[in-house]
Amino acid sequence: MTYPDPFEDKSPWETATPQTTTETSTPSPVEKPMTDGNKVRVTLKGGTSYDAPWITIDGVNIADALEQLANKEQVKELIDATAKVGQYFASTGKPSTAGAAPKRFENGRVVAQQADGAPEVVNDQCPHGRKHFAKDNWEAMFCTERERANQCPPAFKDKKTGKYLVKS
């Protein structure tokens, strides 16, 4: 089969001329399994979190996938083995960081954050803790003390340095 020249000035879709091909009667060396057009992949997940182990079963069609799942003893063995290997594999790695705050980037750099995930406030003397707020063109860390009279002064973000500074 010949293909149109991609560097021609005309579009290949405008005047398509039928190309003649010569068919050979040589059978394909690889026989494809018979399918009804319904390839299917069944995924069994061992939990709701992202780090839960999972198993996939591929069937050439729906009937094949159902037949594989119907073999309860083998499927049960596979699930048990996957659970054991998953537990062992998880025990060899770092503790899960699921639920941790994502890193914050500014100007291509990671913004320093405190252990609780809050951004760092320079020379912070607030014993109550701070909560981050951001509006259109400013960001600040405000004291979390309930009584307004006892709240510490806010720490506003310095756009030049990217750090939070307490304004007194």
Side-chain angles (χ1 to χ4, degrees):
M1 177 173 210
T2 61
Y3 294 97
D5 184 2
F7 300 105
E8 285 184 328
D9 289 336
K10 64 179 187 173
S11 170
W13 293 277
E14 287 176 3
T15 56
T17 56
Q19 301 291 327
T20 58
T21 60
T22 57
E23 297 257 340
T24 60
S25 61
T26 308
S28 172
V30 177
E31 288 189 33
K32 295 181 180 176
M34 293 182 57
T35 68
D36 59 4
N38 292 320
K39 281 186 174 179
V40 65
R41 172 171 285 161
V42 177
T43 302
L44 307 173
K45 192 164 180 197
T48 58
S49 66
Y50 288 108
D51 58 351
W54 58 9
I55 298 169
T56 58
I57 296 175
D58 293 325
V60 293
N61 55 33
I62 295 172
D64 179 41
L66 287 170
E67 185 178 320
Q68 291 180 56
L69 287 170
N71 192 341
K72 294 177 184 175
E73 288 304 314
Q74 283 187 335
V75 171
K76 182 181 179 311
E77 286 179 36
L78 181 61
I79 291 171
D80 291 343
T82 303
K84 287 178 186 175
V85 171
Q87 286 175 346
Y88 173 74
F89 188 59
S91 72
T92 63
K94 295 179 182 176
S96 174
T97 58
K103 292 182 179 179
R104 291 179 21 126
F105 292 90
E106 291 178 11
N107 299 327
R109 294 186 177 162
V110 177
V111 175
Q113 296 192 353
Q114 297 172 349
D116 62 356
E120 181 182 3
V121 178
V122 177
N123 297 327
D124 191 15
Q125 302 297 321
C126 178
H128 312 112
R130 294 190 177 271
K131 186 170 182 179
H132 179 257
F133 288 91
K135 294 293 180 183
D136 295 332
N137 59 353
W138 62 268
E139 289 184 48
M141 300 291 292
F142 288 97
C143 178
T144 57
E145 170 62 37
R146 287 181 72 94
E147 294 296 322
R148 191 173 196 93
N150 296 335
Q151 287 182 350
C152 303
F156 286 91
K157 183 176 184 179
D158 182 351
K159 291 181 182 177
K160 291 180 183 175
T161 64
K163 296 181 180 180
Y164 291 84
L165 304 171
V166 176
K167 304 279 183 172
S168 27

